[in-house]
Amino acid sequence: MQGQIGVAPMHQVSVAVQTPAHSLLSGPLSYRSAQELPPGSLVRVPLGSRELLGVVWDAPTPEHPPAHDPDKLRDVAAVLGGVAPLSAHWRRLVAFAAGYYQRSLGEVALAALPPQLRELSDGQMQRRLRRKAVAPDGPLPPAEPPLALSAEQQAVLAQLHAGSGTFVLYGSTGSGKTEVYLQCVQTLLQQDPQAQVIVMVPEINLTPQLQSRFEARFAPVHGPASVVAMHSGMTPPQRLRSWLAAHSGQARVVLGTRMAVFASVPQLRLIVVDEEHDPSYKQQEGARYSARDLAVYRGQQEGVRVILGSATPSLETWHHSRPAAEGGRYQRLHMPSRIGEQAQLPLVRRVDMNHQPRRAVFAPPLLEAIRERVARGEQSLVFLNRRGYAPVLQCTACDWKSDCPHCSAYRVFHKIDRSLRCHHCGYTEPVPRACPECGNLDILPVGRGTEQLQEQLAGLLGNLQRPDGTPVRVGRIDADSTRQQGSLQTQLAQVHAGEVDVLVGTQMVAKGHDFRRITLVAAVNPDGALYSSDFRAPERLFSLLMQAAGRAGRDAGIRTRSEMWVQTFHPAHPLFEALKRHDYPAFAAQQLAERRAAGLPPFSFQALLRAEARTQEVAQAFLTAAAAAATDALADLPGFALVTVYPAVPMGMQRVANVERAQMLLESPSRPALQTFLAHWHAVLHATRQTPAGRGLLRWALDVDPLAI
Ligand code: ADP
Ligand code: ZN
Ligand code: ZN
C-alpha cells in the first residue's frame, strides 16, 4: 500500500498478448502499471524486444496463476486511453473460443481486433476518435418504409418478439427472410435507443447488397454511421472505423462476414446468421472457429436472441431444432411460401443420362429448353462446379498427365492463356507443345470445366437469335473470370441488364444473387457428390442445388414456371427424389438416419489433428506418437474411454507445394469428453514435438468440429 515517497503504488495486471504461435505462453502475462487498469483496457506492453498491443485481462486466479515472476515484472508501456475497455461479455467470448478451439487467448483476442489498432499510438488514436463522422452531402433521403408483411412473415416476427433464445428461420429461397430480419431489427432499435445488432452473411460479395438495404431503412432514422460493414475486403482504416463505431455504440447495425461475430458490440440485442449452413462461416486457418456456433454461444451468454436463417439448414442446426419434447434446443420457425403470386418453386426435372447419346455434355432436351428460353428473351443459368477448361491434359501415346510437380493433384488446363495451373499451389506453366515424356504431339484435355462448357455451349447455340435479332450471348462467372477487383459486380450487373442469355458458372453464381429473369437453372454434372468419401458432400450438394433453383423465377412479370434441370446417371437417388419435391425435411431425415447409424455428427463430435512435414512418414510419426502419449498421459481423465483416436492417415490432398500432410481423427459421442481430452492433450502435443517423433515436423494444428475430413 505505502509506496515510497514520491513513487506511485504499482498495480499488477494480466495482459493478453499475441505470443508466438505454439509457445506455451498461452495465458495472459503479468505486467506492472502505475495506474489501476480495469479489465478490457487496451494497452501496449513490451514482450522480448518488441512492444505489442494487449488487452488487460481479468485478475489471475488460482487456476490461472500469473505467468511471470513478480520480481521481474515489466511495466505497461502505454494505455490507449481513448478507447473504452472491452466488455466482460467480449472477454468471455474470446476466452471461450480460445478454450474450445484450442488456441492461445492472446491469439484469439488480438485476431478479433482490427489490425490497425496494433499500429496506432494513443495520440494517433485520440486524433482519429476526434475526427467527426463525415456528414453526407445534402439532407438524407427519407427512410425506405418497411414492406407490408405476408401472413407467414407476420407470424414468424410475432414468435421472434415473443420468444427468446436461438431460432432457426427455415424459409424457402424468396420467402422474404431478409424482410423479417429488417423488421425485427427495426423494432429492437426503436425500443431501445442504445440497442445494437450483428447481422452476418457468408460472403463478402453479399455484403454491399445487404448493406444498402439496411442503410436505406436505418441510416435516415438512426444516422449515417448507424450501419457499418465488417469484412476482410475492407482496408485497415475502414475496418478500424467500423470497429470503433460498433465499440462506441454509434453503429447500431454491424453487417459482416464471420469475423463480425467477434465485434465489440456493448449493447448487443440480436445476432442474425443468414445462410447459416454456409461452409464459409468456418474459419479454415489459425483459430479454426465456427462463427455460427460462436454466435449461438454469444447469444446465450449475453441473453440475446440469435436467428439462424436458411432454406437448407445445416444438419447440425436442423437436429438442434427438433421439437423440444425430443430434446431440441432451438426454436424452429417456418416460412414455406415464396413472396408474390407467381412465385412457385421451380419444377425440378431429372435427365437420365443413361438414356442420352453417349458422351453428351448437354442432353438434347436440355439444349432445346435453353434454346426456347433464349428465343423468348429469358435467361438460363448453367452450373458446373469446376473451373478452368479441362481438369487434366493427357498424352494419347504414353501415360503422361499434367500432374503438378509439387502437389498430389493435376494441373488444370486453362485454354484462354494456354496454361497449366495448379489450383492448390498456384504453379503455372505454358502448355507444352509436345508430350514431355514421349514427344507425341497429341495431348488432349480430359474432362470439362466451366471455360470449356461456355465454349461448347456457344458452339451448340451457334446461330440462335434473341427476340431482337441479335446473336445469343453466353457468359461465364467463376473465380477465373472475377479475379480482378470489382469484376464480379460488373459481370453481375451485365447479367441483371440482360446482356447475357446463358450464364455458365461455378457455385459462386448459386449464392444469394437475385437474377430476376432467369427461368432455367441446369446442373450439368452433380453426381460426384453422391458417392463421395466426404460424408457432408450430399448435404452440400442438396443445399447448393436448392439455392441454385432459388435463383430462378424471381421476376413476377415472367409468367412461365421456372425449371431446374439436373443431369444425372442416378435419377432415382433419394437426394434427387427429395429435391424434386423441394422436400428438405425428408432429405434431412434420411441423412440424419444415416449419420445416426454411422455415429457421425451431429450424433458424435470430432476433432482433427493435422501434421505437415517434408515426408509423409515424419508427419504420420508425429501423429502416432501423439496418440501413444495420450494413452499414457490422459488415461485417467474422466470420459477418456469415450474418445476414439483413429490411426494417422494421409490427407485427401496429400501433398501441397511440396509439403506432405497427414491427419488423425478423434471422435466422441460426448462433447465434454472430447473437450477435456483436447484441453489436456495440448501440453502433450507440445512435449511430443520436442521428442524424436517431432523431428522434421513443420507444423501441427488442431481443428475442432472440422467441416471436411
Ligand atoms: P430470402 O432471403 O428468404 O430468399 P428475400 O428476403 O430476398 O428472400 O425476399 C425475396 C424478395 O421478396 C425480395 O425481392 C424482397 O424485397 C421481396 N419481399 C420480401 N418480403 C416482402 C413483402 N412482405 N412484400 C413484398 N415483397 C417482399
Ligand atoms: Zn506421351
Ligand atoms: Zn501444385
Side-chain angles (χ1 to χ4, degrees), residues 681-704:
W681 201 28
H682 216 110
V684 176
L685 289 169
H686 283 287
T688 307
R689 173 127 208 212
Q690 305 311 319
T691 68
R695 204 166 292 147
L697 188 74
L698 293 172
R699 57 188 87 84
W700 61 268
L702 275 167
D703 188 348
V704 182

Side-chain angles (χ1 to χ4, degrees), residues 253 270 304 350 469 502 522 620 636 647:
V253 181
L270 171 73
V304 305
R350 290 162 290 183
V502 185
Q620 289 195 21
D636 294 335

